[in-house]
């Protein structure tokens, strides 16, 4: 797995993944045992062999990004790459037109995926929906709200939205909504997830939801 988290340090990304494995949010300082616990988790997750982080924070230009992606695919032989997130990549480009920049970038990323066979998990921010209710208040996500360009949705095989009402009766519950599914065409609410503050994990709830 290749991991490019452009808004956090490699240390924060690594402790977050180790915390999920240990089922405790160690990034909050909740480490009950010694450093040996981290070493064991590091070994069990194969973080030194199976996970590859890009040591960078902030924006980077398109050519630099694509060279990093190709190196991960060919040199490190990763199967999947997570890019979080596309807007910060575009912010580093010398272009006043965000939409056109995202169009170009998405076309390049799609070509890279077809060429390399690597799976890409791409994080995109959303535009604020019409009305007074925002996504942080549980507003329903849609394809039209992908920020910057329709190319994000058009060139992706699958688009998944996540909705959470941070100020509601159950702020830890997340609705997962399939917005696009090129493989089978099935879309709509997929499941509910609930954040567990003790383990730091998102667990699937018992609510039955129909596609």
């Amino acid at each position: 797995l290749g991991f490019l988290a452009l808004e956090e340090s490699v240390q924060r990304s690594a402790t977050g993944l180790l915390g999920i494995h240990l089922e405790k949010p160690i990034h909050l300082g909740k480490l009950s045992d010694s450093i040996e616990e981290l070493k064991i988790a590091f070994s069990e997750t194969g973080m030194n062999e199976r996970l590859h982080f890009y040591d960078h924070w902030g924006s980077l230009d398109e050519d630099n990004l694509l060279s990093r992606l190709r190196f991960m695919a060919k040199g490190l032989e990763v199967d999947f790459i997570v890019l979080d997130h596309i807007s910060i990549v575009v912010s580093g480009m010398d272009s006043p037109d965000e939409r056109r920049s995202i169009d170009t970038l998405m076309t390049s990323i799609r070509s890279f995926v077809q060429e390399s066979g690597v799976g890409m998990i791409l994080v995109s921010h959303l535009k604020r929906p019409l009305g007074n209710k925002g996504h942080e208040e549980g507003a329903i996500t849609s394809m039209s709200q992908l920020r910057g360009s329709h190319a994000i949705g058009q060139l992706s095989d699958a688009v998944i939205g996540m909705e959470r009402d941070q100020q509601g009766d159950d702020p830890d519950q997340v609705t997962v909504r399939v917005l696009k599914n090129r493989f089978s065409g099935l879309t709509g609410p997929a499941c509910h997830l609930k954040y567990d503050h003790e383990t730091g994990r998102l667990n699937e709830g018992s609510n039955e939801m129909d596609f």
Side-chain angles (χ1 to χ4, degrees):
L1 176 68
F3 209 82
L4 293 89
L6 302 181
E7 284 190 320
E8 65 182 24
S9 66
V10 170
Q11 180 182 5
R12 174 62 185 87
S13 299
T15 54
L17 293 172
L18 288 173
I20 291 173
H21 178 73
L22 291 168
E23 297 196 336
K24 59 179 72 175
I26 61 175
H27 67 284
L28 300 178
K30 296 185 178 181
L31 189 62
S32 59
D33 298 323
S34 67
I35 194 67
E36 292 302 317
E37 185 178 29
L38 278 178
K39 290 181 178 179
I40 293 171
F42 189 88
S43 175
E44 289 176 344
T45 56
M47 191 164 287
N48 58 333
E49 297 175 353
R50 298 169 57 197
L51 293 172
H52 302 279
F53 298 92
Y54 179 38
D55 190 4
H56 179 78
W57 193 94
S59 61
L60 68 164
D61 62 71
E62 180 182 346
D63 291 339
N64 191 2
L65 171 65
L66 290 171
S67 76
R68 302 293 176 178
L69 296 179
R70 289 192 179 95
F71 174 72
M72 285 184 168
K74 302 297 184 183
L76 301 177
E77 298 182 339
V78 300
D79 295 321
F80 280 87
I81 298 175
V82 179
L83 175 59
D84 181 12
H85 56 89
I86 191 169
S87 296
I88 200 169
V89 176
V90 173
S91 70
M93 295 181 182
D94 187 18
S95 171
D97 191 334
E98 182 186 36
R99 182 195 62 78
R100 187 173 297 238
S101 296
I102 293 178
D103 285 348
T104 302
L105 178 61
M106 283 299 302
T107 301
S108 298
I109 289 176
R110 181 71 208 195
S111 297
F112 159 75
V113 169
Q114 294 298 117
E115 165 199 330
S116 65
V118 169
M120 283 283 297
I121 300 173
L122 182 67
V123 178
S124 172
H125 285 181
L126 299 173
K127 296 184 292 187
R128 185 170 183 83
L130 297 175
N132 297 324
K133 188 176 181 180
H135 293 110
E136 71 279 3
E137 296 174 311
I140 294 175
T141 55
S142 70
M143 290 276 286
S144 64
Q145 293 162 357
L146 292 170
R147 179 177 167 179
S149 169
H150 293 301
I152 298 173
Q154 290 168 350
L155 295 176
S156 299
D157 289 324
V159 180
I160 298 172
M162 300 183 74
E163 305 156 2
R164 177 168 76 98
D165 187 352
Q166 297 177 357
Q167 307 300 324
D169 295 333
D170 193 356
D172 296 325
Q173 180 167 287
V174 178
T175 299
V176 178
R177 187 179 302 276
V178 180
L179 303 176
K180 179 181 179 179
N181 185 342
R182 183 171 283 165
F183 300 103
S184 69
L186 293 172
T187 58
C191 67
H192 286 303
L193 303 176
K194 186 143 185 172
Y195 182 71
D196 187 326
H197 290 268
E198 292 300 315
T199 65
R201 284 178 173 267
L202 280 169
N203 300 309
E204 188 170 352
S206 57
N207 305 60
E208 292 185 1
M209 304 188 71
D210 296 326
F211 267 101

